[in-house]
């Protein structure tokens, strides 16, 4: 078992119970990614004077619902008060926004900062808190990531968290456009706030 430590004051469940539930909800590579995101989030928290335990927990649970079946997502979106427009977009964006439902239900985490960071981790948003940025960037630069530009992304992010957010959004937008994928409006809006150098 990978080293993983966070003081958990955000759920009536113990850290060990959270870890066990998360492990049971995903395959081993996804779990290992979550551990690395947790560790990277902790590091970014330290650099940015944010609560390291909270960042580590938020990073750990960010993809909790990544492997929930599509049928279950559709049911939750239809019955649990989510924007029905979500059904018109790629399932890739559901595990953040709708993932918060499963995290509340299964992991009993109700802290709104943690849930918002999970909600925003795939698309970013116009407004982002320090924790939102930490989780968003930890997900992008964790040591297991390997894509052209990842080293530059790491350098930029460790030097300046906001600049990292701008880097990631520009990178993701070009990646999605290259593949002619549908782009969720929130991703566009976030790009216009965080990635623009001058115009
Ligand atoms: P992961 O969960 O650790 O794999 O990482 P993310 O949560 O950041 O992203 C999951 C996937 O969502 C990636 O393949 C992104 O390219 C994709 N994604 C992010 N924003 C959008 C969007 O606006 N539209 C679509 N179609 N996909 C998106
Ligand atoms: Fe994700
Ligand atoms: Fe992730």
């Amino acid at each position: 078992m990978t080293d993983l430590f966070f003081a958990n004051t955000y759920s009536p469940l113990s850290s060990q119970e959270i870890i066990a539930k998360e492990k049971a909800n995903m395959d081993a590579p996804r779990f290992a990614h979550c551990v690395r995101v947790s560790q990277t989030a902790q590091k970014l928290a330290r650099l940015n004077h944010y609560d390291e335990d909270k960042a580590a927990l938020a990073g750990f649970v960010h993809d909790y619902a990544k492997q929930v079946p599509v049928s279950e997502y559709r049911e939750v979106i239809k019955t649990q008060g989510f924007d029905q427009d979500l059904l018109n977009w790629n399932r890739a964006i559901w595990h953040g926004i709708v993932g918060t439902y499963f995290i509340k239900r299964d992991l009993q985490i109700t802290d709104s900062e943690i849930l918002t960071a999970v909600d925003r981790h795939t698309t970013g948003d116009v407004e982002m808190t320090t924790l939102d940025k930490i989780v968003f960037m930890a997900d992008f630069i964790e040591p297991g990531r390997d894509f052209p530009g990842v080293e530059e992304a790491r350098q930029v992010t460790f030097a300046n968290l906001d600049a990292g957010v701008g880097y990631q959004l520009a990178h993701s937008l070009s990646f999605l456009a290259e593949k002619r994928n549908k782009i969720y409006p929130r991703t566009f809006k976030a790009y216009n706030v965080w990635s623009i150098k001058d115009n």
Side-chain angles (χ1 to χ4, degrees):
M1 165 81 194
T2 327
D3 285 346
L4 182 70
F5 297 106
F6 46 78
N8 166 34
T9 53
Y10 299 100
S11 163
L13 303 184
S14 68
S15 298
Q16 292 318 312
E17 285 172 312
I18 289 180
I19 292 166
K21 280 183 185 285
E22 174 133 332
K23 199 170 231 173
N25 211 39
M26 59 186 68
D27 60 26
R30 179 59 50 182
F31 182 82
H33 163 70
C34 291
V35 172
R36 292 190 299 267
V37 171
S38 176
Q39 291 164 337
T40 307
Q42 190 171 16
K43 184 172 168 182
L44 286 172
R46 188 157 57 245
L47 284 170
N48 291 280
H49 315 290
Y50 189 83
D51 182 333
E52 291 181 38
D53 287 310
K54 192 166 186 177
L57 177 60
F60 182 63
V61 303
H62 84 287
D63 275 344
Y64 174 74
K66 178 88 177 180
Q67 294 174 341
V68 168
V70 171
S71 55
E72 210 173 327
Y73 268 115
R74 290 189 181 284
E75 188 61 23
V76 168
I77 292 169
K78 285 178 188 161
T79 60
Q80 301 299 322
F82 286 96
D83 181 357
Q84 297 304 295
D85 181 51
L86 283 166
L87 295 167
N88 301 320
W89 300 88
N90 193 292
R91 75 150 289 170
I93 63 154
W94 294 348
H95 76 285
I97 298 167
V98 188
T100 56
Y101 167 83
F102 295 99
I103 290 171
K104 270 189 277 193
R105 188 191 70 180
D106 301 348
L107 306 182
Q108 298 179 49
I109 294 172
T110 53
D111 181 88
S112 63
E113 275 189 13
I114 294 179
L115 295 173
T116 301
V118 173
D119 181 308
R120 294 176 169 161
H121 91 264
T122 302
T123 60
D125 208 340
V126 170
E127 279 182 40
M128 292 178 79
T129 67
T130 301
L131 184 61
D132 296 343
K133 295 172 195 169
I134 286 172
V135 174
F136 187 62
M137 292 322 301
D139 191 21
F140 193 58
I141 64 166
E142 59 94 344
R145 292 287 192 204
D146 185 17
F147 55 82
V150 71
E151 265 317 316
E152 191 186 357
R154 290 184 179 119
Q155 281 170 21
V156 169
T157 306
F158 288 129
N160 183 316
L161 190 60
D162 285 9
V165 172
Y167 187 99
Q168 176 175 178
L169 284 164
H171 183 278
S172 300
L173 220 72
S174 8
F175 177 77
L176 293 167
E178 191 65 42
K179 294 192 300 174
R180 301 287 180 97
N181 281 350
K182 209 166 169 180
I183 296 172
Y184 191 56
R186 195 161 92 176
T187 312
F188 265 128
K189 287 182 193 157
Y191 164 82
N192 278 326
V193 168
W194 296 99
S195 302
I196 307 307
K197 289 189 170 164
D198 84 271
N199 65 14

